[in-house]
Amino acid sequence: MRKWIAGAGLAYVLYGLFFYWYFFMSGDSAVPEAVKGTQADPASFMKPSQLAVAEQYSDVKNFLFFISIPLDWFLFFVLLISGVSKKIKQWMEAAMRFRFLQIIGFVFVLSLITALVTLPLDWIGYQVSLDYNISTQTASSWAKDQVIDFWISFPIFTLCVLVFYWLIKKHEKKWWFYAWLLTVPFSLFLFFIQPVIIDPLYNDFYPLKNKELESKILALAEEAYIPADHVYEVNMSEKTNALNAYVTGIGANKRIVLWDTTLNKLDDSEILFIMGHEMGHYVMKHVYIGLAGYLIVSLAGFYVVDKLYKRGVHFARNLFHVEGRRDLGALPLLLLIVSVLSFAVTPFSNAVSRYQENKADQYGIELTGDSEAAVRTFQDLAVTGLSQVDPPFLVKLFRGSHPSIMERIQHAETEENTSEHPASEQGDDQ
């Protein structure tokens, strides 16, 4: 056991050292020759001091991201091989008579251990954001968000585990398929309630206050044949100086949301481009496509998890102190497999997201007819958020849900400003 834990610990340390070298010692932030002197060149809109700070901040945040991912894997492995997971199961069995109560207790202890182990890295990430003036959130507010996170994730996680053990008991061979079938209405339910129940737990949402800007957005929405009753602003300035806007929810609960920092720091033309971008997501049904894609990929994922979990329990039964797939003590093994697979498919999901974001950028430019506003928006996003204009390859691969700022500016520069655009034609399908 000690050798296995020592080996896993050494692997984690070497992994961390690699990414330390990758971000802090080997990074090449030189701007490509073809970009120098263009609007995509960070030197054209950022001061040297801003560039240096953006590089430092991005390197630290990226490093924290990459070392936090396998920390969960290491924790699950240690819980298994040390026998701690088995002991927790035995405590639950001794304390509670009913199986479902044992599962709830086990999941609570496991969730608490995971939260406590990952808390230091989360705290460091929060402090880094404070130090670089990205976060404005107080420590008490940050702690409150952590508590909310726990009490939202714990019941959902518990429900998933209860359903898993019930299915694997009733349908041991086909549990993965029935589990996937249940994720369809469950995912739709979460998409539906998130904007009206979950998101307001963290921040206050209200209709756009600037009525003059609202009328411009409504006119833009009318031009694109989009229902214009889903524009909200949220008081993110209490927590951050970064800029953002997004689309969330489905059906009647769909919302287009603007952070108040975006409203305070961008001019109307830039905000209208952002709205055009978000309207592009709506018109091209990216939320629904993303949900459908998730369900398709998750079907394959459940199948692979079933095969790996079965083999993992069979080959490491003695090593991991588990009695079989129905053993509650084997839950960390299942979570380890799910976490690794989720991380492995991240490049694929990011590639799809980047494609959609690029299409939404194009739509926003065509709808507003103002590519210069798009360029200024991307530049402001980089300056305010201390973003790397051209991040390293591994960051693009595993964190790049959007094209890089450099790519987005280059795309905007190549878009033609025309008064005629396909928005109305696409809007006829709504």
Side-chain angles (χ1 to χ4, degrees):
M1 179 191 71
R2 292 174 181 172
K3 290 181 179 179
W4 277 103
I5 293 177
L10 178 60
Y12 181 64
V13 170
L14 292 176
Y15 170 92
L17 289 174
F18 167 78
F19 277 102
Y20 182 86
W21 168 82
Y22 184 75
F23 289 120
F24 298 105
M25 302 177 66
S26 69
D28 183 10
S29 58
V31 176
E33 287 296 328
V35 176
K36 289 183 178 179
T38 68
Q39 295 183 93
D41 183 354
S44 68
F45 59 89
M46 298 178 76
K47 299 176 181 178
S49 57
Q50 290 176 317
L51 276 171
V53 172
E55 288 291 331
Q56 293 170 4
Y57 174 72
S58 297
D59 286 342
V60 173
K61 293 292 285 187
N62 289 330
F63 176 71
L64 289 174
F65 168 81
F66 278 99
I67 66 171
S68 67
I69 298 297
L71 181 59
D72 285 342
W73 307 348
F74 178 71
L75 172 62
F76 295 146
F77 180 79
V78 170
L79 289 174
L80 285 166
I81 201 168
S82 65
V84 170
S85 181
K86 181 180 179 179
K87 290 184 182 297
I88 297 174
K89 181 200 70 170
Q90 292 171 342
W91 294 338
M92 295 301 119
E93 290 174 343
M96 303 171 191
R97 176 182 176 184
F98 297 105
R99 170 74 166 175
F100 79 94
L101 291 177
Q102 295 169 8
I103 293 174
I104 293 173
F106 186 96
V107 171
F108 178 79
V109 174
L110 182 61
S111 299
L112 191 61
I113 291 174
T114 304
L116 291 175
V117 169
T118 58
L119 185 63
L121 277 182
D122 294 337
W123 174 257
I124 292 172
Y126 162 67
Q127 288 293 325
V128 169
S129 296
L130 278 180
D131 292 342
Y132 283 88
N133 201 35
I134 296 297
S135 176
T136 59
Q137 189 174 19
T138 63
S140 60
S141 175
W142 179 85
K144 177 185 175 182
D145 282 354
Q146 302 305 303
V147 174
I148 292 174
D149 283 345
F150 181 87
W151 287 110
I152 288 177
S153 61
F154 167 64
I156 295 175
F157 179 32
T158 302
L159 178 62
C160 293
V161 175
L162 285 167
V163 170
F164 164 74
Y165 280 109
W166 178 77
L167 286 175
I168 204 168
K169 179 181 179 181
K170 297 292 184 179
H171 309 281
E172 187 168 2
K173 293 183 178 180
K174 293 291 184 179
W175 74 266
W176 60 271
F177 180 71
Y178 293 112
W180 175 79
L181 288 178
L182 290 175
T183 64
V184 177
F186 186 68
S187 299
L188 290 172
F189 176 70
L190 287 181
F191 266 81
F192 191 77
I193 70 168
Q194 179 182 335
V196 294
I197 296 180
I198 297 178
D199 289 347
L201 294 174
Y202 295 90
N203 299 98
D204 296 326
F205 291 77
Y206 32 80
L208 193 61
K209 294 178 181 178
N210 187 332
K211 297 305 177 182
E212 182 179 353
L213 177 60
E214 182 183 42
S215 65
K216 294 179 182 179
I217 294 175
L218 292 177
L220 201 65
E222 183 179 1
E223 188 177 353
Y225 294 91
I226 296 175
D229 55 347
H230 299 295
V231 180
Y232 293 81
E233 60 177 290
V234 55
N235 62 331
M236 288 300 299
S237 57
E238 295 181 356
K239 298 182 178 181
T240 182
N241 286 319
L243 312 180
N244 197 15
Y246 60 90
V247 176
T248 186
I250 59 175
N253 283 9
K254 179 184 289 293
R255 287 185 176 183
I256 297 177
V257 179
L258 279 164
W259 289 10
D260 61 345
T261 51
T262 303
L263 294 166
N264 295 336
K265 296 180 181 180
L266 299 184
D267 61 37
D268 283 5
S269 64
E270 294 170 313
I271 293 172
L272 288 175
F273 163 71
I274 290 177
M275 286 289 91
H277 171 99
E278 300 303 335
M279 290 173 190
H281 284 304
Y282 179 87
V283 168
M284 291 180 278
K285 300 178 175 65
H286 286 166
V287 172
Y288 297 97
I289 293 172
L291 179 59
Y294 162 76
L295 292 175
I296 292 172
V297 172
S298 64
L299 175 60
F302 273 110
Y303 177 79
V304 174
V305 166
D306 174 60
K307 299 304 179 185
L308 292 178
Y309 183 55
K310 183 178 181 180
R311 293 185 180 183
V313 169
H314 176 73
F315 288 112
R317 185 183 298 265
N318 294 328
L319 182 66
F320 289 153
H321 309 280
V322 297
E323 299 170 3
R325 293 198 291 172
R326 299 182 191 179
D327 185 359
L328 186 58
L331 181 59
L333 175 60
L334 179 67
L335 298 178
L336 174 61
I337 293 170
V338 171
S339 181
V340 171
L341 287 178
S342 298
F343 184 69
V345 301
T346 300
F348 170 76
S349 60
N350 281 342
V352 174
S353 177
R354 287 194 297 270
Y355 175 81
Q356 292 183 335
E357 294 297 334
N358 184 47
K359 288 297 183 182
D361 283 346
Q362 293 177 8
Y363 187 92
I365 293 172
E366 292 170 355
L367 185 62
T368 61
D370 193 351
S371 62
E372 283 302 315
V375 170
R376 293 197 306 274
T377 300
F378 299 140
Q379 292 174 341
D380 288 340
L381 287 173
V383 172
T384 306
L386 296 181
S387 303
Q388 284 178 307
V389 176
D390 186 27
F393 172 74
L394 290 180
V395 175
K396 292 180 181 179
L397 194 65
F398 287 100
R399 301 200 71 188
S401 60
H402 291 62
S404 68
I405 295 293
M406 182 176 291
E407 291 168 337
R408 299 180 84 175
I409 293 175
Q410 288 176 310
H411 291 160
E413 287 181 318
T414 60
E415 287 294 311
E416 295 182 1
N417 292 329
T418 59
S419 57
E420 297 295 328
H421 49 74
S424 59
E425 296 177 6
Q426 297 179 25
D428 291 338
D429 294 332
Q430 299 307 308

